[in-house]
Amino acid sequence: MPRLALYAVAVCVLAVVAAVISFVQGSWLGIVWVLLAGLSSNMAWYYLRRQRVQAAG
């Protein structure tokens, strides 16, 4: 697994945890964390697919 994909997955997990904590505390700031989780998830998928394409080609 590429290093950037691992970093993106780590950011995604941390952002989800931060979003849950924010929503539990009643803060709407959790929306920002959800958006960050979505962005980092897409980055992780991109780097994984890019590695598969490079390995196949």
Side-chain angles (χ1 to χ4, degrees), residues 4-49:
L4 287 174
L6 286 174
Y7 290 154
V9 168
V11 169
C12 182
V13 169
L14 291 174
V16 168
V17 171
V20 168
I21 291 171
S22 293
F23 284 131
V24 166
Q25 292 180 348
S27 172
W28 288 99
L29 188 63
I31 293 172
V32 175
W33 291 115
V34 169
L35 294 174
L36 183 64
L39 176 68
S40 60
S41 170
N42 287 339
M43 288 175 58
W45 279 114
Y46 170 76
Y47 288 122
L48 287 173
R49 281 188 305 224

